[in-house]
Amino acid sequence: MTKRSLILAVLLTLLLFAWAQAESEFFKAFTDNYHELSTELANKPPAELAEISDFVYEKDVATFTFEQGKMYLLRNVEGRPTTAIFLGKGHATIDIPTHTERISLLYASGDSVVDETFEMAFLHFSDDFDLRLKERYQFEQTELSWRDFSKSQQGEFFFRPIVAHKYDNHFQLLRSLYERVEDGYFWIDFNRYVYSFDPSRPEEVEVAYEHEGGNIATTRGAVMQRREKAIYGDDRVSDIDYPTTALAREGTLVMGGLNGKRVDEASVELRLQINKDSLRFLSVFLNHSLKLDSIYYNGASVDYWRRRNFTFIGVILPEYRYSGDTVGLQLWYHGKDYRTALPSVENPAPSPHILTFDIPSGYNYIMPAMVLGESPRSKYVRYNVKPQEPYRMFRFQACVTGYD
């Protein structure tokens, strides 16, 4: 290597190191904020407290009236609270706009409407809920008493990310918090109901219900678009504004295991189109049994958040991308289940894919459009797959040959 080449290589390494350091600082702050949302409230954390009355808060199709009681504000992130506990007298009404969703709610809760009085409520938010409160009431610094928390801790239980959740609630709250606006994230648990508004979901509004006391998760009763979009009917699903669309998936899967069903190595490029005005936090989904090793963006490792055994992956790009942009992600992973071996996004539209399967010799795989190729690996057979029909998900059958 020449002296000039060596200098250029060192400079490039320093630039990449500086870029990685900047990103790691952001991700470190993100991680700290994520863990702040898990602060144990039973340990008398600092809080703000006010006596409130006749406070009405509308959130899309829901109206909450806090008639009389005390309101705690807790867990400050970026200088503002993200959690609230209300104890007193309140009332909630939720307008379910379509017959289909009312029937779905009836199945989940036993009633097709929501018109409830409540004595306690547990909230998480990154909208203007705290600002609206502080416009009217004087809050004082205090500590959350264990007795007050114990009255409402069921809501905390339902919010904490568990495997049954499609999304990671903490991640969804934080991604909205970094763009904190009036139209931000809002989640409330009252009685057995959970109402949530998430601007980062394709269908922003959700009403869930704790079907039986002690359930580990609530049942999704009604899911719909926000009121201003008015996309409610089942015949208008194609009009839903998905944050991203998968354009193509291309990669190599190296199969293994005694039954040929294990993905030893996977390297897959997922090309996405951005549909929202601006987007930095991407939602990607991968079968929970497939273990993610790394994600690359523009040739460099990118930050992502995924809890163990979660299908949901929150990818954090180093910069915002805008409507119409194309983003390429390279995902590396492995695992024991190949039934849904490719990553996907919320948009159910199928996308073309080109795959290469390196299969141990002696195994047969059955899948449309498989063509024998030249394998660079010893004791492996390579197949190339380029189906004429695009699929969002697919399965293929493996079997061992050579036995009587």
Side-chain angles (χ1 to χ4, degrees), residues 59-71:
K59 193 66 179 182
D60 203 75
V61 298
T63 300
F64 301 95
T65 303
F66 301 91
E67 298 170 1
Q68 185 72 44
K70 54 184 179 181
M71 181 76 75

Side-chain angles (χ1 to χ4, degrees), residues 28-102:
K28 180 179 182 300
F30 181 92
T31 302
D32 290 342
N33 289 336
Y34 186 99
H35 291 310
E36 177 65 24
L37 300 180
S38 300
T39 301
E40 181 52 65
L41 297 183
N43 294 335
K44 295 184 178 181
E48 298 175 271
L49 176 63
E51 292 286 339
I52 69 171
S53 62
D54 300 323
F55 178 68
V56 180
Y57 195 73
E58 295 184 5
K59 193 66 179 182
D60 203 75
V61 298
T63 300
F64 301 95
T65 303
F66 301 91
E67 298 170 1
Q68 185 72 44
K70 54 184 179 181
M71 181 76 75
Y72 286 97
L73 298 178
L74 310 103
R75 288 182 177 143
N76 283 17
V77 174
E78 302 290 313
R80 286 174 59 186
T82 62
T83 304
I85 296 175
F86 172 78
L87 300 172
K89 295 180 180 180
H91 187 264
T93 58
I94 302 176
D95 176 25
I96 311 298
T98 64
H99 177 73
T100 301
E101 296 301 334
R102 286 194 294 270

Side-chain angles (χ1 to χ4, degrees), residues 136-182:
R136 293 186 52 184
Y137 310 104
Q138 185 68 38
F139 281 80
E140 298 180 354
Q141 293 294 327
T142 184
E143 291 181 344
L144 175 66
S145 70
W146 179 86
R147 179 177 297 179
D148 284 348
F149 169 64
S150 65
K151 293 178 181 178
S152 58
Q153 61 182 322
Q154 189 75 353
E156 178 82 334
F157 175 77
F158 285 137
F159 186 76
R160 285 178 175 171
I162 59 174
V163 174
H165 291 166
K166 179 179 180 180
Y167 295 91
D168 180 332
N169 288 336
H170 287 175
F171 186 93
Q172 293 297 98
L173 174 58
L174 277 178
R175 74 194 299 186
S176 177
L177 184 146
Y178 280 100
E179 303 171 354
R180 195 155 191 170
V181 294
E182 178 183 345

Side-chain angles (χ1 to χ4, degrees), residues 23 159 161 313 320 335 351 366:
E23 283 305 296
F159 186 76
I313 303 167
Y320 278 89
S351 60
I366 303 172

